[in-house]
Amino acid sequence: MYKARAYACVSPTAVLAGTTIPRRDVTDRDVQIEILFCGVCHSDLHTARDEWHSVMQTVYPCVPGHEIIGRVTQVGAGVTRFKVGDVVGVGCLVGSDHTCSNCKNGLEQFCPSATFTYNSPDKHGTAPVTYGGYSDSVVVEEDMVLRIPTNLELSGAAPLLCAGITTYSPLKRQGVGPGKKVGVVGLGGLGHMGVKLAHAMGAHVTVFTTSPGKREDALKLGADEVVVSKNAGEMKKHASTFDMILDCVSADHDINAYLSLVRTGGNLTLVGAPEKPLPVSAFALFFGNKTLGGSMIGGIAQTQEMLDFCGQHGITSDVEVIPIQKVNEAYERMLKSDVKYRFVIDMATLKA
Ligand code: NAP
Ligand code: ZN
């Protein structure tokens, strides 16, 4: 066991502050990574503040961060795919049993023994729960480590590890491509990746935003149209026209208004995870045989597929790189929808 530097919070109301945490020594199948960049996902904030208490309680101290880019500093004797010096990524998953039906189907996130990057029981017993990427290093089993295409800028690649795969996976599942009309609700970290990816897949993309000031950005990111969702007239123009709507909103909102925009047989997928349940009208679903679904991150193979897709299309996240000392401020700005479009922590600042 060794000590790593990290930023942690000790209660739902405490700010994040510098500390040290235990990390396990590299075992046979492990890769040790010096963390260069870590994205700030809204899930980090939900977890740090125990907002998902009824579903998964936060154990403190809590070290968030699951959009990790780093450089390999050590590998176990049994590691075959990585060597010291490689640039690698780690997303929301750091372990699974590799034997259950979900793992065999490339859905490690639903493995009964899935270990998430933070706030998940630590099977190695290094600490009560896993500690995430707001840290200078991490030790992860080889099978959960991703390759980063060499043409991608590293701070912009970090958010692909969560925001990228979380939006790529449902877009693929719904067969998004040329000729499909896709709506993306909420232009934050997830939403802006959804726009870039759906656009690269060849779909017609419409952004729904509560922030009129994001209109120009949305068009630059690849949207064909932008609707300010508070404007009922603008919303109505799109009634029953979408093949798919991807809802990336982090807070309470009316999903029935979006269901009315889905065409007959179309789908609305929720990836946003508001604290409170959202009421759904049965009428909004059965008029048009519509389906409402959810999607949680993506498996390891699909995450690599998404990274390679981003490499081929030159896609990275639009980021605001911050020193770790500004992470609490970044959380407050995220709550005000004031993020363009992902905060990414430069982990070199942890040493400052
Ligand atoms: P984010 O960057 O904060 O973006 C959320 C966006 O939602 C905001 O930028 C804003 O967009 C919109 N919004 C915020 N408050 C709203 C309100 N009251 N009404 C309507 N729209 C509102 O968050 P994120 O990191 O993209 O994460 C989004 C959600 O996805 C979070 O709940 C997160 O926990 C969840 N998540 C889920 C998964 C998964 O596997 N399913 C993975 C990662 C994250 P506009 O300004 O454009 O309106
Ligand atoms: Zn995330």
Side-chain angles (χ1 to χ4, degrees):
M1 217 150 73
Y2 69 99
K3 293 260 178 216
R5 290 176 196 242
Y7 250 51
C9 60
V10 294
S11 81
T13 51
V15 294
L16 292 144
T19 186
T20 58
I21 52 165
R23 295 287 195 195
R24 70 175 180 272
D25 292 321
V26 167
T27 68
D28 201 40
R29 300 293 314 279
D30 279 335
V31 174
Q32 185 193 50
I33 301 160
E34 176 200 0
I35 301 176
L36 303 174
F37 294 102
C38 185
V40 177
C41 178
H42 208 114
S43 302
D44 299 354
L45 187 159
H46 289 302
T47 306
R49 300 189 179 177
D50 202 15
E51 290 176 354
W52 294 336
H53 186 91
S54 58
V55 185
M56 46 186 136
Q57 196 175 336
T58 303
V59 174
Y60 296 95
C62 170
V63 179
H66 57 204
E67 293 183 336
I68 298 168
I69 293 274
R71 202 177 293 282
V72 175
T73 43
Q74 206 185 324
V75 293
V79 169
T80 57
R81 291 167 48 237
F82 299 101
K83 60 178 192 317
V84 171
D86 286 353
V87 171
V88 294
V90 177
C92 304
L93 284 163
V94 291
S96 74
D97 66 16
H98 305 292
T99 57
C100 73
S101 58
N102 280 317
C103 284
K104 284 187 180 142
N105 289 322
L107 296 167
E108 293 89 348
Q109 70 272 38
F110 306 124
C111 169
S113 315
T115 303
F116 295 93
T117 306
Y118 57 80
N119 199 44
S120 203
D122 181 356
K123 293 198 186 67
H124 294 265
T126 320
V129 289
T130 50
Y131 295 136
Y134 297 4
S135 175
D136 57 3
S137 94
V138 67
V139 177
V140 180
E141 65 168 88
E142 172 181 25
D143 290 338
M144 298 320 208
V145 178
L146 286 312
R147 293 198 172 280
I148 306 301
T150 50
N151 60 322
L152 298 183
E153 190 278 317
L154 295 186
S155 65
L160 302 180
L161 277 313
C162 174
I165 183 59
T166 301
T167 49
Y168 181 87
S169 187
L171 292 171
K172 289 295 275 190
R173 195 176 311 124
Q174 293 300 324
V176 164
K180 299 275 182 180
K181 185 174 172 185
V182 175
V184 176
V185 188
L187 198 64
L190 264 58
H192 95 291
M193 286 313 309
V195 172
K196 288 188 181 211
L197 292 167
H199 175 72
M201 289 172 190
H204 179 98
V205 184
T206 305
V207 164
F208 295 93
T209 180
T210 58
S211 310
K214 292 182 184 174
R215 195 183 280 274
E216 289 306 312
D217 285 349
L219 296 171
K220 280 192 208 131
L221 291 165
D224 298 285
E225 293 173 280
V226 184
V227 173
V228 175
S229 51
K230 288 169 187 160
N231 183 325
E234 265 191 76
M235 291 284 279
K236 225 173 177 172
K237 278 190 212 151
H238 293 270
S240 307
T241 58
F242 285 92
D243 294 287
M244 182 202 184
I245 294 185
L246 185 64
D247 185 328
C248 305
V249 175
S250 53
D252 193 21
H253 63 293
D254 177 15
I255 62 166
N256 300 300
Y258 293 103
L259 284 170
S260 73
L261 308 186
V262 171
R263 68 159 174 79
T264 300
N267 166 272
L268 187 151
T269 299
L270 289 171
V271 288
E275 188 175 352
K276 297 196 183 80
L278 301 167
V280 182
S281 154
F283 294 91
L285 285 171
F286 61 54
F287 270 105
N289 298 349
K290 300 171 187 181
T291 58
L292 171 63
S295 194
M296 194 175 94
I297 50 173
I300 295 298
Q302 196 178 38
T303 305
Q304 190 62 62
E305 176 189 309
M306 175 275 310
L307 287 165
D308 295 342
F309 178 88
C310 289
Q312 279 152 21
H313 292 265
I315 296 174
T316 51
S317 174
D318 283 24
V319 301
E320 181 174 336
V321 177
I322 56 164
I324 194 144
Q325 293 76 10
K326 291 225 164 148
V327 70
N328 295 298
E329 200 180 298
Y331 277 19
E332 293 311 315
R333 285 182 54 196
M334 195 155 59
L335 283 173
K336 289 187 228 147
S337 302
D338 175 23
V339 44
K340 290 185 173 174
Y341 278 88
R342 196 56 138 190
F343 292 112
V344 170
I345 303 164
D346 176 355
M347 217 46 78
T349 59
L350 191 52
K351 297 186 183 85

